[in-house]
Amino acid sequence: MTGAEHLAIIAAGLGAGVLTSTVGVASLISFPALIALGIPPVVANASNTIGLLPGALSGSFGYRRELREVSRPTTIAVVLTCAIGAIGGAVLLLALPAGVFAAAAPWLILFTCLLVGVQPWISRWLRSRRNGPQETRTTMTPATTAFAALTGVYGGYFGAGAGVMMMAVLALGLDLELRVLNGLKTLSLLAANLVASIIFIFIADLNPTAIALLAIGSVAGGYVGSHIGRRLPSTLLRILIVIAGITAAVLMLR
């Protein structure tokens, strides 16, 4: 790689780190950048996952105040669920043809964008259907756990739009502020990427240079993004998540 290409990957990592901690479509920037440099798709995907790990870590650290508002059992449940799901996703990436999930991914992202957009109305409707006192949902239900695990599988396999999917799952299953859910989403992506990265290090073909350059950019971007995400009004954040998810899906369909 040339010096300009090195800078381009660092910049992609910076942007991806910001997106990790805000709208959750980090790979929208970093994965295409690696492909454009001629790195094979599976190598680029695995290298991208490892390179963005520092961004998820710094983003989770930036959201530490929000994460304190989530009960420990719920945090542990989300982390373990996503981590276990990511194991299956990483195995699928290495075992299946590259285009299997990629064909379905844009439609999954569009569907979850719809869920993020209409989540306030769905949540109000669900609350109106409950009998008795309206208790605040702060623990993971079996349904929320199952969908979070599936999102972890997708995150370990491909990752683009996994943050949007996780936001939809958590927003529908938990009655927490969107900024708190954003922190929990960032932490869940950290868990999924960590597990997938460990598997990729031992099994997958990787590009060490790309990993290092992405890591340099993403660690700064993740921390900056957490501060941006904390300050965005819930409605604006929801709109940005939907726009980013639709953009990712459209680009993947091309």
Side-chain angles (χ1 to χ4, degrees):
M1 296 183 192
T2 65
E5 290 172 336
H6 287 175
L7 292 176
I9 295 180
I10 292 174
L14 177 66
V18 172
L19 292 179
T20 294
S21 301
T22 51
V23 296
V25 287
S27 295
L28 176 64
I29 291 179
S30 54
F31 181 71
L34 299 184
I35 294 296
L37 293 175
I39 299 175
V42 174
V43 177
N45 198 3
S47 301
N48 181 65
T49 297
I50 300 174
L52 296 186
L53 188 61
L57 179 61
S58 64
S60 297
F61 179 77
Y63 276 117
R64 60 194 181 278
R65 282 184 291 176
E66 282 72 17
L67 291 172
R68 293 194 191 105
E69 299 181 33
V70 185
S71 67
R72 186 180 297 273
T74 298
T75 301
I76 293 174
V78 171
V79 169
L80 287 180
T81 298
C82 291
I84 293 171
I87 295 174
V91 172
L92 288 175
L93 175 66
L94 301 175
L96 295 178
V100 173
F101 271 32
W107 304 107
L108 289 172
I109 294 173
L110 286 174
F111 176 68
T112 52
C113 284
L114 174 63
L115 290 181
V116 171
V118 303
Q119 178 268 324
W121 292 274
I122 294 177
S123 295
R124 283 197 291 268
W125 180 79
L126 290 174
R127 284 194 293 269
S128 70
R129 301 285 295 179
R130 295 182 212 159
N131 296 320
Q134 301 296 308
E135 297 183 359
T136 300
R137 300 171 300 164
T138 58
T139 58
M140 298 280 281
T141 65
T144 304
T145 301
F147 283 109
L150 290 174
T151 304
V153 172
Y154 175 76
Y157 181 89
F158 191 64
V164 176
M165 295 181 184
M166 186 56 69
M167 282 293 289
V169 169
L170 296 177
L172 289 172
L174 299 171
D175 293 324
L176 297 172
E177 292 184 39
L178 205 60
R179 61 179 179 82
V180 177
L181 291 176
N182 214 0
L184 195 56
K185 173 265 297 179
T186 303
L187 183 63
S188 72
L189 294 182
L190 170 61
N193 285 350
L194 177 60
V195 170
S197 295
I198 293 172
I199 295 173
F200 293 153
I201 287 172
F202 286 101
I203 300 177
D205 292 328
L206 301 170
N207 187 309
T209 301
I211 291 173
L213 295 173
L214 283 176
I216 291 171
S218 71
V219 70
Y223 190 73
V224 171
S226 66
H227 289 274
I228 295 173
R230 176 183 295 122
R231 289 167 172 75
L232 289 175
S234 294
T235 300
L236 177 58
L237 179 58
R238 194 181 305 278
I239 291 171
L240 291 175
I241 290 171
V242 172
I243 292 174
I246 291 175
T247 302
V250 171
L251 291 176
M252 291 168 67
L253 284 169
R254 294 178 61 183

